[in-house]
Amino acid sequence: MGNDIFSEVKDTGYREEAQEIISEEFFKVLRSRRSVRVFKDDPVKEEDMQKILDAALLAPNSSNLQPWEFYWVKNETKKKELVSACLSQPAAATAPELIVCIARTDTWRENAKQMLEIFNSAEGVPDAAKNYYEKLVPLAYSQGPFGLFGLIKRLAVFITGLKKVVPREPVSNAQMITWASKSTALACENIMLAARALGYDSCPMEGADSKRIKDLLHLGSGAHFVMVISIGKRSEKGIYGEQIRFDRKKFIKILE
């Protein structure tokens, strides 16, 4: 199969028209998303929370393996424990709703199997796509007991990479955490933008006791804390100052 799955353009016959977008409304949402530290007591509508959570699941993600979970903590006792685990910071303590965002490194096999089941029940799916989930996904994401297969892959990638272009990660359990966290972080942005589009505000919180949060949610070693996101209506004192961004030249590099 080689690099065909990456380099060849396959025509599956599927067509989907892009929807018309009022671009200024999108940029209004983008510009008005702020990290709100204090919220009003106003509740968030149940249907709006469901839309916000659904938006997370629309995020792009690696190989469509969807290595994430999102916990909407509604139980008041557990919510108090979660606030405490978030260091009782006002962004958590005053928020009507809290979502815990978790990256999963132990669900890729199950989700790859589900992708194959979907492909096998559909017509016109290229063999290369099926082969990707049957052969390449296990090769790419399996690290083996104690990470031993990852070590073998690391050596093989190094030798192969001396002469040709080759995907170099993930070849360790640590890189698997990075892999899953990247996709989960994309979903976190969807959550915050969806909240703003619905008239709410948010605050992403990485400063938290990840072990206590995992214990609270009864999560095992394959679950990795990414952030807690608070959702609600901003208080008039909820934003501590103007948004500070450094000169764009510091970060944006154009290669001509």
Side-chain angles (χ1 to χ4, degrees):
M1 183 166 54
N3 290 325
D4 292 352
I5 188 69
F6 300 110
S7 58
E8 288 191 6
V9 177
K10 302 289 185 181
D11 187 353
T12 65
Y14 179 76
R15 300 292 184 271
E16 183 175 307
E17 294 293 329
Q19 296 184 26
E20 291 293 327
I21 301 294
I22 303 175
S23 61
E24 187 50 40
E25 289 302 307
F26 168 75
F27 286 105
K28 186 189 298 182
V29 168
L30 199 62
R31 287 191 297 266
S32 64
R33 185 222 56 81
R34 298 296 308 279
S35 293
V36 171
R37 309 293 177 176
V38 183
F39 294 91
K40 294 180 179 179
D41 292 333
D42 299 12
V44 180
K45 293 179 181 178
E46 166 87 21
E47 58 266 34
D48 288 341
M49 280 297 295
Q50 297 293 354
K51 289 178 181 177
I52 289 167
L53 291 165
D54 285 343
L57 304 183
L58 295 176
N61 61 93
S62 180
S63 297
N64 202 39
L65 292 174
Q66 303 170 51
W68 51 40
E69 286 178 340
F70 305 94
Y71 291 82
W72 175 17
V73 181
K74 299 178 70 175
N75 179 278
E76 286 301 321
T77 300
K78 291 184 180 297
K79 189 176 177 183
K80 288 178 181 178
E81 292 181 47
L82 179 56
V83 169
S84 177
C86 290
L87 313 180
S88 298
Q89 55 187 292
T94 66
E97 305 296 347
L98 295 171
I99 301 170
V100 183
C101 306
I102 298 293
R104 301 294 308 222
T105 56
D106 58 351
T107 58
W108 63 266
R109 289 184 182 85
E110 174 189 346
N111 294 351
K113 181 180 178 182
Q114 189 168 349
M115 285 295 297
L116 270 174
E117 290 173 354
I118 292 170
F119 283 171
N120 288 331
S121 64
E123 295 182 0
V125 177
D127 288 340
K130 296 178 182 179
N131 286 335
Y132 180 80
Y133 287 97
E134 286 177 343
K135 299 176 181 179
L136 279 184
V137 163
L139 179 64
Y141 300 118
S142 178
Q143 305 304 321
F146 307 107
L148 292 177
F149 183 53
L151 289 174
I152 295 171
K153 287 196 298 181
R154 185 188 294 269
L155 178 60
V157 163
F158 173 76
I159 294 172
T160 305
L162 293 174
K163 294 185 178 180
K164 61 186 294 187
V165 176
V166 59
R168 296 177 184 267
E169 298 90 12
V171 291
S172 69
N173 291 323
Q175 288 181 356
M176 282 295 291
I177 296 173
T178 300
W179 164 79
S181 296
K182 286 190 289 186
S183 288
T184 305
L186 292 173
C188 292
E189 181 72 0
N190 271 23
I191 287 173
M192 292 181 279
L193 292 180
R196 185 81 285 273
L198 290 167
Y200 303 101
D201 293 284
S202 62
C203 185
M205 293 172 282
E206 295 179 88
D209 188 325
S210 58
K211 183 182 185 304
R212 281 184 165 79
I213 290 175
K214 287 181 62 174
D215 289 345
L216 174 66
L217 301 176
H218 305 293
L219 298 175
S221 59
H224 308 280
F225 172 75
V226 176
M227 66 181 71
V228 175
I229 300 178
S230 51
I231 306 289
K233 295 273 190 178
R234 71 177 70 177
S235 162
E236 62 180 12
K237 58 182 180 181
I239 298 176
Y240 290 171
E242 293 185 3
Q243 190 175 60
I244 298 173
R245 289 295 183 268
F246 304 136
D247 189 329
R248 73 194 302 270
K249 294 178 181 178
K250 181 179 176 68
F251 307 107
I252 297 175
K253 313 298 180 181
I254 301 175
L255 306 182
E256 298 182 344

